[in-house]
Amino acid sequence: MKSRKLFCLFIVMQLTGVSAFPQGSYSVEYNHNYSWQVEGIDMEITVRGEVPFQTGTNFAVIPKCQTGSTSRLDSVKVVSKLKGEGEMTAKGKAILGDKSEPDDLVIMEYTIPVKIKIEGKTWFKDGNCAEIWNLAITEDWSGEIKWDYEGPSEGWDAIAKVLSPATFGQVNKMEEHTLEFQRYPVFTDKPLVLVEEAFPDMGFPMKGRLVYRVHVPGIHRVGIDEQYDEDESIQPNKEYKFTDLHWGPPLDQIKWNTVDVDKL
């Protein structure tokens, strides 16, 4: 009976917004690099920065997995919406012309703020009840571009300013997939990393590497060893490793079987 009351208190704390995880320690870090090198063009672009996210609204669910209890109340788990926003910087540099004739080179550099919005969901995998987190990212490139020019003559700067756009006016929304990782049961404070080629088999000279890092705080399960069966897959004083950060389904494919705890 005592453990049941403690569990109910935990659920109430979750549903009223008191998270079990330290807030402000979660973040998505970008470190993207692109290059374009053909005759007369040498271009480099970087997108770097870190955007925090946290748990938002919480819901009670009964997942399709084995909890070892016959009670519906004991089978209840908490899922959360995830949210965050921030800003990072994209920088570009292009060298136009023949490098063997440095006096005729044109150098164009720019910086642009990229606003990032993070939306996500947590859920529990069927079968083993692993807690999975999925993050969808929206990038807003509609900010003002700051240009810097260096050309072979003073008049060239004026021409470059006329030809250069004031903004890219682009919004990239991650709709077809999400960043997915196993959050709990896990005990670690190391970042998750996803690295992939930006333009595989596209047949043009632009190359690139995308690097996403998800930082999460380390957590320690509270309890004593006697509260857990020896055959349980998760023990309170054991270290566990993350699965790799990978692409997961879009958020609209993650469905919750929400329940009203008061009616159980």
Side-chain angles (χ1 to χ4, degrees):
M1 181 63 69
K2 182 178 180 181
S3 62
R4 177 70 59 83
K5 289 181 179 179
L6 290 174
F7 177 81
C8 291
L9 176 60
F10 173 75
I11 289 292
V12 170
M13 289 177 64
Q14 286 288 316
L15 297 180
T16 53
V18 180
S19 174
F21 307 110
Q23 296 299 292
S25 299
Y26 299 93
S27 65
V28 176
E29 179 185 351
Y30 273 54
N31 189 3
H32 299 349
N33 293 273
Y34 309 94
S35 64
W36 187 5
Q37 293 181 332
V38 294
E39 184 177 355
I41 300 176
D42 187 348
M43 184 168 62
E44 295 285 342
I45 301 172
T46 62
V47 185
R48 294 178 182 172
E50 192 170 350
V51 178
F53 68 93
Q54 60 186 8
T55 56
T57 308
N58 302 303
F59 304 88
V61 299
I62 296 182
K64 297 178 181 179
C65 55
Q66 299 297 321
T67 62
S69 173
T70 59
S71 169
R72 282 176 58 82
L73 184 58
D74 288 341
S75 299
V76 172
K77 291 185 177 293
V78 175
V79 294
S80 304
K81 288 186 176 180
L82 304 170
K83 60 181 181 179
E85 59 183 18
E87 188 176 288
M88 59 185 64
T89 301
K91 295 182 178 180
K93 181 177 182 178
I95 301 175
L96 311 178
D98 188 345
K99 290 186 177 181
S100 65
E101 300 179 3
D103 292 338
D104 294 330
L105 291 179
V106 173
I107 301 175
M108 304 174 62
E109 295 181 89
Y110 73 83
T111 60
I112 178 174
V114 182
K115 294 182 179 180
I116 304 295
K117 182 179 180 181
I118 298 174
E119 298 177 287
K121 290 181 177 180
T122 72
W123 57 285
F124 291 87
K125 186 174 291 187
D126 292 355
N128 65 2
C129 271
E131 184 174 326
I132 309 300
W133 290 33
N134 291 73
L135 304 173
I137 298 175
T138 299
E139 302 175 354
D140 185 342
W141 290 67
S142 60
E144 181 181 357
I145 304 174
K146 294 184 178 180
W147 291 93
D148 186 25
Y149 312 96
E150 182 179 339
S153 65
E154 294 182 0
W156 189 92
D157 289 359
I159 297 175
K161 289 179 181 178
V162 172
L163 298 176
S164 302
T167 178
F168 292 146
Q170 185 174 350
V171 176
N172 301 325
K173 190 171 184 179
M174 189 182 291
E175 295 180 322
E176 297 182 356
H177 54 214
T178 54
L179 293 173
E180 180 177 277
F181 60 95
Q182 180 177 318
R183 176 62 185 101
Y184 186 82
V186 163
F187 305 80
T188 186
D189 57 0
K190 294 182 180 179
L192 295 151
V193 183
L194 172 62
V195 180
E196 69 175 22
E197 186 178 347
F199 308 103
D201 305 320
M202 294 296 287
F204 53 79
M206 179 71 84
K207 305 295 182 182
R209 189 182 73 157
L210 305 178
V211 180
Y212 295 95
R213 292 177 182 267
V214 175
H215 299 269
V216 299
I219 61 173
H220 301 281
R221 189 163 183 171
V222 178
I224 57 176
D225 293 342
E226 286 76 14
Q227 291 177 313
Y228 302 88
D229 296 333
E230 291 183 0
D231 294 335
E232 280 192 314
S233 59
I234 302 302
Q235 298 295 322
N237 299 316
K238 185 178 179 181
E239 293 294 321
Y240 295 87
K241 292 183 178 180
F242 278 112
T243 54
D244 291 335
L245 182 65
H246 56 272
W247 295 119
L251 294 182
D252 59 7
Q253 292 185 13
I254 299 174
K255 307 296 183 182
W256 290 332
N257 178 26
T258 58
V259 296
D260 186 341
V261 178
D262 294 333
K263 294 181 179 180
L264 292 179

